Amino acid sequence: MASDPADPGLPDRVMQRAQWRLLPLLFTAYLIAIIDRINISFAAETMNRDLGFTASVYGFAGGLFFVSYALLEVPSNMLMMRFGTRRWVTRIMISWGLISAAQMLVTTPLEYYVLRFLLGAAEAGFFPAILFYASLWFPAQWRGRVVSRFYIAQPASQAVLGLVSAPLLRLDGTLGLAGWQWLLLLEAGPAIITGLVIWRWLPDRPDQVSWLNQAEKSWLTGALATDAAAINGPQHGSLLRALADPTILGLGCAWLLIAGPVNAYLYSMPQVLGEQTGLDTGAVGQLVTLGGITGALVLLVLGWHSDRRQERFWHVLVPWALVGLAFVVLALHLSPALAMAAALVIAAFNLPSHTVFWALVSEQLHERHRAVGIAAVNTFGQFGSFLGTSAFGVSRDATGGYDAGLFVIAVCALFSILILNRQRRLKPPRTSSPH
């Protein structure tokens, strides 16, 4: 939608104001979500040793998180549509904070399985809800940059965990608790606090805020309506109908093959890097921090460049190819230096490409049922993560190393590239440019 000729700076002004008001909360919430999801990877070495867990037990428990997340993702987003983003995200954050902290109490594999399953159920729908929320505030022209600016929480979480995990693990023995118990306890608290902050300050819709005047609200509403009218394709009111849509099916399969296997790597990343590079826990933390910083920088550039070129597919395909090649190098175990370089390439291009992928997904779906469509695509990734994480642990126990599992991840990346490239050729046309 064109801006008012009398006020050509209105679109940029509205977008800047919305970003300053909303993105800090979205970023913080997503950062804490990722920390509470993967901090177990830093606790794993000492926790598994203390509790006698094998890599298969650890991997299966990690996979159960994604099963419950996948099963409840679409129902969660339907409830979000009923209760509003602010209320639903508050519920999600408080419940997952409590369950994440409860992991410090596990003593048996069954208890660990139950809590990882409950953690996935608590967090189900969080990311699609945030992505859908962004689509209610930011037209497509800005969406790549906006998604990248809160998705930067993913590499940032790696940097944070790399910095704070080793000091928290050194609390071992304090007040009779193991270091891994302190890590899980202290990193769960911010989720509850942030949930309460979101309850107080996150607005559900543009018409609820006082920091936009009527002209600014009218422009934003019109721009979003123009985006919605420009999308051709079927509408979906249920998961089954969504899964029958070739667009969602293709994007979902591509997401399953890249997100699932890579999540298996992320879930065991400190152990993998320690084995492949020979670094100790502190040095691995520093490598992870460096990777997080690198990924954050690439993420901002990739989102900006994708918006500038108004192109999504190649901004995903090329990074995925680099990630697949890096997994091959990491699996070959040629030298510690090459393994560290491969780890940095994965950190630099894996998560940043996801921001463009989700901008691509949101632009392919009707606004009315975008929440269901986004959740349907993400559900593929969650089931892929269950399979990948479980298989990765079994492979480690069966072969005594991570090389075979890393090769499989590279193969999955190749197939995801082939599927997404086919989707690129079949993408539905837009009736007109919204800008």
Side-chain angles (χ1 to χ4, degrees):
M1 180 178 179
S3 60
D4 185 350
D7 189 2
L10 184 145
D12 286 338
R13 185 171 68 248
V14 174
M15 290 294 94
Q16 289 173 8
R17 191 171 298 168
Q19 288 181 69
W20 279 111
R21 292 278 185 166
L22 303 176
L23 290 188
L25 273 177
L26 299 182
F27 170 84
T28 302
Y30 197 40
L31 175 71
I32 294 170
I34 300 303
I35 287 176
D36 283 353
R37 180 188 297 189
I38 66 173
N39 62 359
I40 197 71
S41 66
F42 284 85
E45 183 176 357
T46 53
M47 181 189 74
N48 290 347
R49 184 176 63 245
D50 289 351
L51 301 179
F53 292 172
T54 64
S56 297
V57 168
Y58 175 75
F60 182 69
L64 286 174
F65 169 93
F66 297 106
V67 170
S68 56
Y69 195 113
L71 291 174
L72 296 175
E73 184 150 44
V74 172
S76 176
N77 274 261
M78 290 179 172
L79 289 170
M80 180 269 294
M81 297 292 288
R82 177 179 178 182
F83 292 106
T85 305
R86 178 176 60 89
R87 293 179 180 178
W88 199 243
V89 171
T90 296
R91 192 283 305 164
I92 287 174
M93 297 199 70
I94 292 176
S95 60
W96 99 47
L98 294 172
I99 295 170
S100 183
Q103 292 177 109
M104 65 178 287
L105 303 176
V106 301
T107 57
T108 68
L110 179 59
E111 293 171 353
Y112 189 38
Y113 295 156
V114 170
L115 284 176
R116 291 306 293 185
F117 185 88
L118 291 177
L119 187 64
E123 193 183 326
F126 173 77
F127 174 69
I130 294 297
L131 193 64
F132 175 73
Y133 181 79
S135 76
L136 298 179
W137 285 86
F138 301 101
Q141 182 180 357
W142 284 270
R143 206 166 292 153
R145 283 163 287 180
V146 167
V147 172
S148 71
R149 286 167 187 167
F150 75 78
Y151 210 87
I152 200 174
Q154 286 245 19
S157 69
Q158 294 184 15
V160 171
L161 284 171
L163 288 172
V164 306
S165 294
L168 291 178
L169 290 172
R170 285 197 290 269
L171 293 175
D172 188 58
T174 303
L175 299 180
L177 297 177
W180 60 269
Q181 291 176 305
W182 279 112
L183 184 147
L184 295 173
L185 175 63
L186 295 179
E187 291 182 353
I192 299 171
I193 296 171
T194 304
L196 296 174
V197 171
I198 283 177
W199 171 264
R200 174 65 180 82
W201 279 292
L202 188 71
D204 279 311
R205 300 183 306 274
D207 61 6
Q208 295 178 339
V209 300
S210 59
W211 39 267
L212 292 178
N213 61 38
Q214 191 55 50
E216 292 166 340
K217 292 178 183 178
S218 296
W219 173 83
L220 181 54
T221 301
L224 293 168
T226 301
D227 275 351
I231 300 175
N232 289 329
Q235 300 184 22
H236 307 295
S238 71
L239 177 60
L240 291 179
R241 288 184 179 180
L243 293 179
D245 178 5
T247 297
I248 290 178
L249 187 62
L251 293 172
C253 289
W255 188 237
L256 181 151
L257 287 168
I258 192 71
V262 173
N263 271 331
Y265 162 75
L266 294 175
Y267 191 65
S268 299
M269 182 170 56
Q271 300 98 286
V272 173
L273 295 182
E275 185 171 297
Q276 304 300 99
T277 65
L279 300 175
D280 60 23
T281 302
V284 167
Q286 294 172 6
L287 178 61
V288 170
T289 298
L290 179 59
I293 294 171
T294 304
L297 294 174
V298 173
L299 187 151
L300 293 174
V301 173
L302 196 66
W304 167 82
H305 193 263
S306 176
D307 274 354
R308 183 173 181 269
R309 297 294 299 272
Q310 284 297 287
E311 196 286 322
R312 307 299 186 197
F313 281 96
W314 286 110
H315 284 78
V316 179
L317 291 169
V318 173
W320 283 7
L322 293 172
V323 168
L325 180 61
F327 273 113
V328 172
V329 173
L330 193 60
L332 290 175
H333 214 161
L334 298 174
S335 72
L338 284 175
M340 287 186 280
L344 290 177
V345 170
I346 294 168
F349 292 102
N350 173 50
L351 296 177
S353 66
H354 294 182
T355 66
V356 183
F357 176 83
W358 286 113
L360 182 159
V361 171
S362 70
E363 291 170 11
Q364 302 286 307
L365 305 175
H366 280 277
E367 179 211 3
R368 184 178 177 187
H369 300 295
R370 189 175 292 147
V372 173
I374 291 171
V377 173
N378 203 35
T379 296
F380 279 87
Q382 304 308 316
F383 278 118
S385 297
F386 165 69
L387 296 173
T389 304
S390 301
F392 204 60
V394 171
S395 173
R396 172 68 175 84
D397 283 340
T399 65
Y402 291 107
D403 295 354
L406 294 170
F407 270 120
V408 171
I409 294 175
V411 172
C412 288
L414 172 62
F415 280 103
S416 69
I417 289 168
L418 295 176
I419 293 172
L420 190 61
N421 188 54
R422 181 177 183 275
Q423 192 70 32
R424 176 182 64 86
R425 297 195 300 269
L426 299 176
K427 68 177 180 177
R430 298 178 70 92
T431 58
S432 63
S433 172
H435 313 295

